[in-house]
Amino acid sequence: MRVNYQKKLEEIIEGLEKEGRRASLLLHSCCAPCSSYVMEYLRKYFDITLFYYNPNITDSIEYGKRMKEQKKLVEEYNQGGKEPIHFLEGVYEPDRFFQASKGMEEEKEGGLRCLACYELRLEGTAKEARKGGFEFFTTTLSISPHKNAEKLNEIGERAGEKWGVLHLPSDFKKKNGYKRSTELSKAYDLYRQNYCGCIYSQREAGKREKA
C-alpha cells in the first residue's frame, strides 16, 4: 500500500497548529525554481532555514549560478515582511558525489545513481540539522515529477534516525505544487536548466535534445 506523504505532512502541520507553535525546519534545496513553492507553502507553519547543499552540480560556475539565484529568491521572499527565511550554504564537495556514484556512471536518470545522490544530500542535511538543533529537516526534491517521492522519504527517514532528527515527510508535487513552482519561476524570472545538476543528467538532456 502506497503512503500518502502529503497527508502525513498535513497531519504534522495540524498537530503544530493545535499546539499553537511553529517548528524549526532545515529545508534542503536543489535549486531556486524547486524551492519557490515549497518555501511559499511551508513558511506559514515553520521557521525555515534553507540549506543549499548540492555536491552533484557539474562545475563551480554552474554551482555559483544556481546558488546566487537561490539567495536572490530568499531575499525577495523576505521583502514581503512575513516570517523571515534564513539561508545556509553547504560546502561544494563534488568529489563526494563522484565517490558516491562510482560504478553507476551509465545508470539512467532516476536509477541507482540518483538514489545515491539523494542519500548523499539528505545525509548531509540531517547531519547539519542535528548540528544546528533543528526539529525537522526535509528536501525540495520531491516537487519534481521526475523524482521518486517514496524513495526520497525512505532515505530521509533513515538519515533522520541516524542523526536523531525528525524527517518531515513530503511529496510537494501534490496539490498542484509543481504547477505552482513553474508559475513562481516565471513570476520571479528564475534561472533554470533542463537537467537536474550532475554531468550525467546534463549528458542525458543533451541526447534528448539531439533526438
Side-chain angles (χ1 to χ4, degrees):
M1 185 176 178
R2 297 189 67 177
V3 178
N4 187 329
Y5 292 103
Q6 175 61 31
K7 185 177 180 181
K8 290 184 72 174
L9 170 58
E10 289 171 357
E11 288 172 352
I12 290 171
I13 289 172
E14 286 174 10
L16 291 172
E17 289 184 315
K18 285 180 180 178
E19 294 173 14
R21 71 182 184 91
R22 297 167 62 83
S24 59
L25 170 68
L26 187 65
L27 174 63
H28 167 263
S29 175
C30 53
C31 64
C34 287
S35 73
S36 58
Y37 163 73
V38 181
M39 290 193 296
E40 179 187 66
Y41 173 36
L42 294 182
R43 74 185 303 180
K44 303 170 198 171
Y45 315 106
F46 297 89
D47 292 326
I48 298 174
T49 294
L50 189 138
F51 183 45
Y52 188 82
Y53 175 61
N54 297 292
N56 58 311
I57 303 299
T58 49
D59 54 63
S60 59
I61 294 174
E62 180 65 22
Y63 176 88
K65 284 181 181 179
R66 296 192 187 200
M67 185 187 66
K68 182 180 178 182
E69 199 72 352
Q70 182 69 81
K71 290 177 75 173
K72 184 185 80 171
L73 181 62
V74 169
E75 289 168 3
E76 291 192 19
Y77 270 35
N78 285 342
Q79 289 175 6
K82 298 179 181 178
E83 296 80 7
I85 296 170
H86 303 284
F87 180 84
L88 177 63
E89 181 188 355
V91 179
Y92 179 51
E93 40 191 7
D95 288 347
R96 292 201 65 197
F97 166 72
F98 287 116
Q99 182 180 5
S101 60
K102 189 175 181 180
M104 295 178 276
E105 293 83 357
E106 301 305 318
E107 282 277 330
K108 291 290 183 182
E109 196 164 357
L112 294 177
R113 184 185 66 241
C114 290
L115 297 185
C117 181
Y118 303 159
E119 189 157 4
L120 172 63
R121 289 187 278 176
L122 283 167
E123 271 268 342
T125 306
K127 182 179 179 180
E128 191 66 37
R130 173 64 181 270
K131 177 182 173 184
F134 290 87
E135 185 173 351
F136 291 95
F137 78 97
T138 194
T139 178
T140 63
L141 284 164
S142 71
I143 198 167
S144 170
H146 305 295
K147 302 290 190 294
N148 187 320
E150 183 177 7
K151 294 296 183 184
L152 281 165
N153 281 279
E154 288 175 359
I155 291 168
E157 287 167 12
R158 286 200 302 271
E161 289 173 4
K162 178 178 178 179
W163 291 100
V165 186
L166 295 174
H167 173 256
L168 189 70
S170 74
D171 191 355
F172 293 121
K173 68 179 73 65
K174 299 289 188 181
K175 301 185 76 171
N176 290 318
Y178 179 71
K179 180 176 181 289
R180 179 60 178 158
S181 74
T182 59
E183 293 170 352
L184 288 166
S185 295
K186 290 177 182 177
Y188 286 97
D189 191 27
L190 297 177
Y191 169 75
R192 62 189 305 155
Q193 277 286 5
N194 64 343
Y195 64 97
C196 180
C198 75
I199 187 68
Y200 310 114
S201 63
Q202 184 185 45
R203 287 172 185 170
E204 282 197 38
K207 289 177 182 178
R208 287 195 298 270
E209 286 186 358
K210 287 181 180 179

